[in-house]
Amino acid sequence: MHTFAPTIFLALFSILLCLPFGTAQETEHQEHGTPPESEAHDEQHGEQAEQEDHVEAKGHGGRSHPKNDVAIFLGLTDEHGQALEPTLGFDYKRRIAHRWSFGGLFDYAGGDLRNAFFAASITWWPVGKFGLTAAPGIEIHRGRGPTVSCGCGGSQNSEGPEEDLFDEDERYFVLRLGVGWPFPIGENYAIEPNVNIDLVDGEKVWVYGFNFIYAW
């Protein structure tokens, strides 16, 4: 009986020594607000929320929406009764919201058309990179006087009023409606197939080509 007494005493003493250590650990976690398991869960939840915010700030395809882009337009103008004429343009857009951009554009159709077009533009991005643009502006036609080229190295007087009227200097109000979808090349560049219809002086003029975009 006496031989078991020291053993029982040592066991009870060991238990008493362990109790303060465990209580101290629990008190430390309580002072920090949450147990270790809860802290790990909160940290994981915070990282997930940060990742979701980062994805939300990205556009479709994982590419963030740039605030500005400038583009050089190379295309053709298809006016009724006229041959397709090469067209060179410049476009600028500033994104003011997730789906809206404002800007301005200029293009010039050469050849027999000799038309310069200046406009302000607003673009709406309803789905992904698909953009719808409306651009009210002014078209300036530069006439060549009462003569037309005969294709023989000189000029001759026009014989009908239609040629005279066609070649006078004119200004028109134009409403351009366009669609485009840019295809990114790296982080800052894109190529955008672009189709536009110009409503001018009761006629419809098609302008189509490609925008070569630099964005930042």
Side-chain angles (χ1 to χ4, degrees), residues 129-163:
K129 297 182 177 66
F130 178 70
L132 300 172
T133 298
I138 300 294
E139 180 181 275
I140 301 174
H141 170 72
R142 185 162 62 91
R144 290 169 290 185
T147 60
V148 294
S149 173
C150 65
C152 54
S155 62
Q156 66 180 15
N157 291 333
S158 60
E159 296 180 356
E162 293 182 359
E163 289 84 352

Side-chain angles (χ1 to χ4, degrees), residues 9 25 31-32 46 56 67 75 89 102 114 123 153 160 181 187 193:
F9 177 78
Q25 284 185 327
E31 289 177 354
H32 284 82
E56 181 66 21
K67 288 292 186 181
F102 280 106
R114 302 161 68 90
T123 301
W181 186 292
E187 291 294 326

